Amino acid sequence: MTKQSPLELKEPVKLRPDRAAMFKALGEPTRLRIFEFLRSCCCPVSVDDSGDIRPASGPTVGEVCCRITGGERITSTISEHLKELRIAGLITVERRGKNMVCGVNEDAVSSLGKYLLDNSSDSSNNNCCGDKDQLNETE
Amino acid sequence: MTKQSPLELKEPVKLRPDRAAMFKALGEPTRLRIFEFLRSCCCPVSVDDSGDIRPASGPTVGEVCCRITGGERITSTISEHLKELRIAGLITVERRGKNMVCGVNEDAVSSLGKYLLDNSSDSSNNNCCGDKDQLNETE
DNA sequence: AAATTATTTCGCTAAATAACGAAATAAACA
DNA sequence: TGTTTATTTCGTTATTTAGCGAAATAATTT
């Protein structure tokens, strides 16, 4: 009934994307397949005047659907998976003419990769289970 | 009605853990907190005679609970989160006397990190959407 | 062996979510 | 302008899952 704001089609991408959301986005098999397809595919990246990163060319939503589902039709399921990956900050989806073109946000991906690698076997932060004095967190 | 096998308490850890499961395990805020706590905490690792990796010392399940929930009691929730992290292959949980001691599976974590870093900005695999023959739309 | 301590599994419920088709929206084209 | 093409949003349903308390299991202590 009530129309929703036509001004902003897309929900804002998390500027400080929380890692749980990124991991969660990758934690669903279909989304991971989409992500891997995008990585194998839409590699060239151009940097905008304003410094924004955008894919120079990448698959359209329709092409992603075709690859993932094997069918010809665009499905809302894939669209919604792309949305979750985009909101998490892992991919970009932007209009180019009639189509929406997908790309990988390489910065976000490599930052997530570094997070996993960085303090692997790093004992510096070893404030282990002894000091449980003040645990109250105010989030 | 049928009791389940008392012999093997634990479900087998995926030997070739699928990445979606690993990402999914990290994709829940509480589990990510647990994971980060374990990484900040139980760092020393020893390698077994048989080549198995095991934490030399790490927090017990009770200590993890204490840190994460702030309370004294061990909760089934944390236990189940630990189980999911363990099944995914990201952590180890093994009995030491009366306690279960947790550790990080550094190999799995760094392998996952490398997966994210490796073909970032790698255009070698560029079998892009062109070989689709029948995709109607090109710019 | 019974009691204690530490932890996991079970059963439940409520909330999240994946899949789907239909309707809405957006750009391009006739 | 209305129509077509491309995609997103909406509404629904079925499945999954996080959280919780109670019961079960396991090692230890008495």
Side-chain angles (χ1 to χ4, degrees):
Chain A
M1 293 250 222
T2 53
K3 294 199 173 187
Q4 63 193 37
S5 156
L7 290 180
E8 195 50 64
L9 241 176
K10 313 189 161 198
E11 291 162 42
V13 170
K14 291 187 203 290
L15 284 206
R16 183 203 240 283
D18 97 79
R19 288 194 177 107
M22 301 176 86
F23 284 132
K24 182 176 163 231
L26 295 173
E28 204 280 331
T30 304
R31 278 195 298 267
L32 189 56
R33 285 183 61 211
I34 294 172
F35 175 73
E36 290 183 337
F37 170 54
L38 292 182
R39 287 229 290 177
S40 77
C41 174
C42 50
C43 312
V45 163
S46 70
V47 176
D48 206 329
D49 298 340
S50 50
D52 286 351
I53 299 170
R54 39 163 65 208
S57 75
T60 65
V61 172
E63 286 164 337
V64 174
C65 283
C66 186
R67 264 302 168 90
I68 300 297
T69 72
E72 296 296 309
R73 281 182 35 253
I74 292 174
T75 69
S76 58
T77 296
I78 299 296
S79 173
E80 275 156 350
H81 281 317
L82 287 168
K83 179 178 175 182
E84 179 146 353
L85 288 164
R86 179 174 56 77
I87 298 297
L90 292 165
I91 70 170
T92 58
V93 182
E94 57 177 44
R95 186 169 287 279
R96 190 157 311 172
K98 205 159 38 171
N99 300 307
M100 300 295 277
V101 173
C102 306
V104 174
N105 185 345
E106 306 284 358
D107 282 354
V109 174
S110 64
S111 134
L112 197 61
K114 278 175 199 144
Y115 163 77
L116 288 176
L117 287 177
D118 268 2
N119 46 357
S120 267
S121 60
D122 167 8
S123 330
S124 61
N125 197 9
N126 210 340
N127 58 346
C128 198
C129 330
D131 56 15
K132 45 183 187 177
D133 304 298
Q134 72 279 31
L135 299 169
N136 338 10
E137 352 187 335
T138 52
E139 191 164 347
Chain B
M1 42 166 156
T2 53
K3 292 202 174 185
Q4 64 193 36
S5 155
L7 290 179
E8 195 50 61
L9 242 176
K10 312 189 164 197
E11 290 164 43
V13 169
K14 291 185 202 290
L15 285 205
R16 180 196 249 289
D18 95 83
R19 289 194 176 108
M22 300 175 87
F23 285 131
K24 181 175 164 233
L26 296 174
E28 205 279 330
T30 304
R31 278 196 298 267
L32 189 55
R33 286 183 60 210
I34 293 172
F35 174 74
E36 291 183 335
F37 170 54
L38 292 183
R39 288 230 288 177
S40 77
C41 174
C42 49
C43 311
V45 163
S46 70
V47 176
D48 207 328
D49 299 339
S50 50
D52 285 352
I53 298 171
R54 39 163 64 209
S57 75
T60 66
V61 171
E63 286 164 336
V64 173
C65 283
C66 187
R67 264 300 168 90
I68 300 297
T69 72
E72 296 297 310
R73 280 182 38 254
I74 292 174
T75 70
S76 57
T77 296
I78 300 296
S79 174
E80 277 156 351
H81 282 317
L82 288 167
K83 179 178 175 182
E84 179 147 355
L85 288 164
R86 179 174 56 78
I87 298 297
L90 291 165
I91 71 170
T92 59
V93 181
E94 57 177 44
R95 186 170 289 280
R96 189 156 310 173
K98 205 161 33 172
N99 301 307
M100 301 294 277
V101 173
C102 306
V104 174
N105 185 344
E106 306 284 358
D107 282 354
V109 174
S110 63
S111 133
L112 198 60
K114 278 175 198 143
Y115 164 77
L116 288 176
L117 286 178
D118 268 1
N119 45 356
S120 267
S121 61
D122 167 8
S123 329
S124 62
N125 198 7
N126 210 339
N127 59 345
C128 194
C129 328
D131 53 36
K132 287 250 68 161
D133 317 299
Q134 53 191 355
L135 272 183
N136 23 1
E137 204 279 337
T138 357
E139 179 170 352

